[in-house]
Amino acid sequence: KQWYQRRVRGIMSLKTLLPAPTLPVENRQKPARPAVTTVAAAGPPPYGARQGWAPRIPSDFGDGGAFPEIHFAQYPLNMGLEDREKNNKVVAMQVDAQGKVKYDALVRQGHGKDRIVYSKPTDLLPKTDGIELDKPDEEEVKKSTEETRNALEKLINAKISAALPNKVAIANGQQEPPKYIRYTPSQQGVNYNSGAKQRIIRMVEAQKDPMEPPKFKTNKKIPRGPPSPPAPVLHSPTRKVTVKEQQEWKIPPCISNWKNPRGYTIPLDKRLAADGRGLQDNTINDNFAKLAEALYIADRKAREAVDMRANIEKAMAAKEKEQQEQKLRLIAQKARDERSG
């Protein structure tokens, strides 16, 4: 408010210093055009009177749709007009209430209807609607000055008290705050303790001199003590290595099953040794023994069944042979009796 008042006073004083204008001042604003009111009939014109007429607003269509005999882009009830306006880059000329062309339509293109766009020179002028520009009275000036002074004194006192030496050490944690101890002596009387029954003792940490040299030398090199004795290594007594142990300690060479860049001919036993199959412990499942026993029992039972079937067939063959012989014997006896007969 004070800045605006000073600026207004400076402009007024500048007007008093400048000479009066010699040329007449022209009013650049055009006179307002009289508003023309036209009453248009709603709906399309009758048939026979539509030469050169084209529907452009929703009221031209009446209650119907487009006119097929008129070769013109028609939008009844504004259907399809929104998509056309979105893709259209041509701005229609608009006129305000005074008849002037509204050039700010170019600036507003692409923005929503609720967006505020400043496009007039009058938008740069400060608005004084509802703002009091009266000079404050003496009481308000004194009150504001007193409040400002109290706030500044409070900030300054806080910074001064924080910058004191004892407060800095306490704030940084280098020194403990003072402690107050209430002391009651055991000997009471007028002759002791200046006649006082209690005393309050203020205990403060002694100030350390930052320039005082260190009292103890901590960088003195001390010779190292003897190291700890090494752990004893226990060895078994030397003995002669047998051929079996030599073969067990024999490590096969590293042979790859995929790469042989130098083209060596490697025997199969070396490949199997390098594969590590000899180091694997093969274990046989117990189910194999059960399977072998079951197969043996099945084989024995099958053999017994075959022997029994063979014995039955042999007995049947012997019985059939005996019957055949008996039959032949009877025929021979019969033939013999007929011949003797």
Side-chain angles (χ1 to χ4, degrees), residues 251-262:
I251 301 173
C254 181
I255 300 172
S256 175
N257 291 330
W258 295 277
K259 295 180 180 180
N260 189 8
R262 301 198 179 186

Side-chain angles (χ1 to χ4, degrees), residues 67-99:
F67 299 94
E69 68 274 8
I70 300 176
H71 303 284
F72 181 77
Q74 305 175 38
Y75 303 94
L77 301 178
N78 291 333
M79 292 187 299
L81 188 60
E82 297 179 356
D83 299 336
R84 179 174 176 270
E85 290 179 353
K86 289 181 181 178
N87 300 327
N88 190 13
K89 297 182 180 180
V90 179
V91 181
M93 186 178 65
Q94 301 178 7
V95 183
D96 56 2
Q98 286 77 22

Side-chain angles (χ1 to χ4, degrees), residues 29-37 93-101:
Q29 295 183 355
K30 297 181 181 179
R33 297 181 182 178
V36 179
T37 58
M93 186 178 65
Q94 301 178 7
V95 183
D96 56 2
Q98 286 77 22
K100 299 179 182 179
V101 180

